[in-house]
């Protein structure tokens, strides 16, 4: 039609005003091997490009008076992008990013009252057996024994007889995540208010053993081991900021000393 202006070789895919989308612009984009699918995807891509260009060109026209402000903002963004990228490179190459458990523990003790649980958390064990499975009494005794987590006889029995099991009762888990592992017929949000302890129940999928070894309730102080990743992240951020501040001071001093940078404003004489 009269609205299209194919260039040499017919490489123009779409146009808005003076801006053109060419096949060269699309190099590296996979539109599939099937010709019909490729044409459909290409058409959809071109339609999206036209939408973005129409909006951008209209905005440019209507906001032409703001161009100097935008130029300043773009330059500020460009500078901050360079600085941020360089800071990350310096941190990666030159900073010791290790955080010791002593530092984590000290931070936790100083800020304990700020670490309140956002949900109930549990330490638990879970085993799921085929329906009406026969399980020896001694295995049940081991299952609720805090010291048996690494017991070869417990793990070997569950490895053979259980459909699935979870014995990592030294780690805390949020109650909502625990609930996902249990059948719909067991309301953990109701049961956990009554007691810790052992629960056994069956449904059409099998027999469940569920032992709540320990629990802590929402809005109480969170245990240290549950907060270790969060505290490490906080301390690492603080360490990065201190490192970069010190590094920047050093660079500024070097620039002033070598006269690469100079301040021409002086305080007036008293």
């Amino acid at each position: 039609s009269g609205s299209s202006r194919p260039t040499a070789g017919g490489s123009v895919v779409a146009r808005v005003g003076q801006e053109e989308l060419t096949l060269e612009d699309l190099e590296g984009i996979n539109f599939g091997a099937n010709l019909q699918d490729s044409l459909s995807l290409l058409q959809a891509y071109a339609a999206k490009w036209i939408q973005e260009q129409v909006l951008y060109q209209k905005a440019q026209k209507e906001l032409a008076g703001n161009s100097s402000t935008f130029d300043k903002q773009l330059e500020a963004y460009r500078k901050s992008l360079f600085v941020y990228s360089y800071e990350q490179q310096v941190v990666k190459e030159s900073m010791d990013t290790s955080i010791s458990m002593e530092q984590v523990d000290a931070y936790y003790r100083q800020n304990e009252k700020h670490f309140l649980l956002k949900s109930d958390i549990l330490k638990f064990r879970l085993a799921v057996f085929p329906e009406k499975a026969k399980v020896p009494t001694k295995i049940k005794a081991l299952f609720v024994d805090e010291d048996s987590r690494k017991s070869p006889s417990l793990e070997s029995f569950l490895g053979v007889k259980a459909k699935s099991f979870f014995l990592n009762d030294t780690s805390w888990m949020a109650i909502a995540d625990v609930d996902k592992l249990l059948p719909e017929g067991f309301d953990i949000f109701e049961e956990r208010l009554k007691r810790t302890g052992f629960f056994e129940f069956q449904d059409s999928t099998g027999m469940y053993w569920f032992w709540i070894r320990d629990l802590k309730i929402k809005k109480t102080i969170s245990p240290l081991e549950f907060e270790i990743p969060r505290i490490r992240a906080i301390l690492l951020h603080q360490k990065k900021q201190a490192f970069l501040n010190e590094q920047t001071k050093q660079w500024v001093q070097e620039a002033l000393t070598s006269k690469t940078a100079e301040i021409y404003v002086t305080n007036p004489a008293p």
Side-chain angles (χ1 to χ4, degrees):
S1 67
S3 63
S4 62
R5 298 190 299 111
T7 57
S11 67
V12 175
V13 175
R15 180 186 64 83
V16 177
Q18 300 301 311
E19 292 296 319
E20 295 178 338
L21 176 68
T22 68
L23 290 175
E24 288 75 15
D25 296 327
L26 304 175
E27 281 182 17
I29 300 176
N30 181 15
F31 289 106
N34 179 283
L35 179 61
Q36 190 59 48
D37 289 345
S38 295
L39 288 172
S40 297
L41 290 169
L42 181 59
Q43 189 175 35
Y45 188 96
K48 179 69 174 173
W49 180 87
I50 283 178
Q51 178 182 312
E52 291 172 352
Q53 277 296 323
V54 166
L55 187 58
Y56 176 56
Q57 289 183 30
K58 188 169 182 61
Q60 274 189 313
K61 182 180 177 182
E62 296 296 327
L63 300 177
N66 300 60
S67 60
S68 61
T69 302
F70 291 155
D71 288 343
K72 289 176 184 176
Q73 290 176 340
L74 286 169
E75 181 59 22
Y77 173 72
R78 182 175 176 275
K79 286 179 181 176
S80 66
L81 182 61
F82 267 100
V83 168
Y84 176 79
S85 299
Y86 182 59
E87 285 179 341
Q88 299 314 301
Q89 179 180 314
V90 170
V91 165
K92 185 177 180 182
E93 292 177 352
S94 307
M95 193 187 100
D96 174 16
T97 56
S98 62
I99 303 291
S100 70
M101 262 313 295
E102 288 79 7
Q103 291 171 299
V104 171
D105 187 65
Y107 186 89
Y108 174 78
R109 292 183 188 284
Q110 291 164 10
N111 299 277
E112 196 176 63
K113 65 180 181 293
H114 298 300
F115 289 105
L116 297 181
L117 288 168
K118 295 180 180 177
S119 74
D120 298 354
I121 59 174
L122 293 82
K123 287 181 176 178
F124 70 100
R125 292 179 186 176
L126 175 68
V128 185
F129 298 96
E131 193 177 2
K132 297 178 182 176
K134 301 290 185 184
V135 184
T137 307
K138 67 176 183 178
I139 295 297
K140 186 178 288 189
L142 282 173
F143 190 78
V144 296
D145 179 355
E146 289 187 13
D147 299 323
S148 68
R149 188 169 63 87
K150 294 184 178 178
S151 167
S153 56
L154 177 62
E155 285 212 30
S156 60
F157 179 87
L158 294 177
V160 173
K161 296 291 186 180
K163 291 162 59 175
S164 62
F165 63 93
F166 179 88
L167 298 178
N168 188 18
D169 61 322
T170 58
S171 299
W172 293 100
M173 189 180 290
I175 190 170
D177 293 327
V178 180
D179 188 49
K180 293 172 186 174
L181 304 174
L182 299 168
E184 291 182 10
F186 183 77
D187 188 350
I188 188 174
F189 293 91
E190 180 183 335
E191 293 290 351
R192 66 89 174 86
L193 292 171
K194 297 177 183 176
R195 60 186 171 95
T196 56
F198 179 75
F199 300 86
E200 182 178 336
F201 44 93
Q202 293 205 13
D203 71 356
S204 58
T205 63
M207 181 177 75
Y208 288 75
W209 281 4
F210 180 51
W211 179 48
I212 302 177
R213 174 182 169 181
D214 198 3
L215 67 89
K216 292 192 180 295
I217 304 300
K218 181 180 179 179
K219 295 184 180 177
T220 60
I221 291 176
S222 179
L224 169 61
E225 60 261 43
F226 193 67
E227 297 296 341
I228 288 173
R230 182 179 163 197
I231 294 173
R232 281 190 185 280
I234 292 169
L235 291 176
L236 184 59
H237 177 72
Q238 291 178 352
K239 190 173 184 177
K240 281 182 181 178
Q241 291 308 115
F243 172 80
L244 289 169
N245 288 343
E246 194 57 41
Q247 193 72 62
T248 302
K249 281 182 189 175
Q250 183 182 323
W251 290 329
V252 169
Q253 191 55 53
E254 288 172 358
L256 291 170
T257 302
S258 66
K259 302 293 186 184
T260 302
E262 293 183 278
I263 298 174
Y264 299 118
V265 180
T266 56
N267 287 325

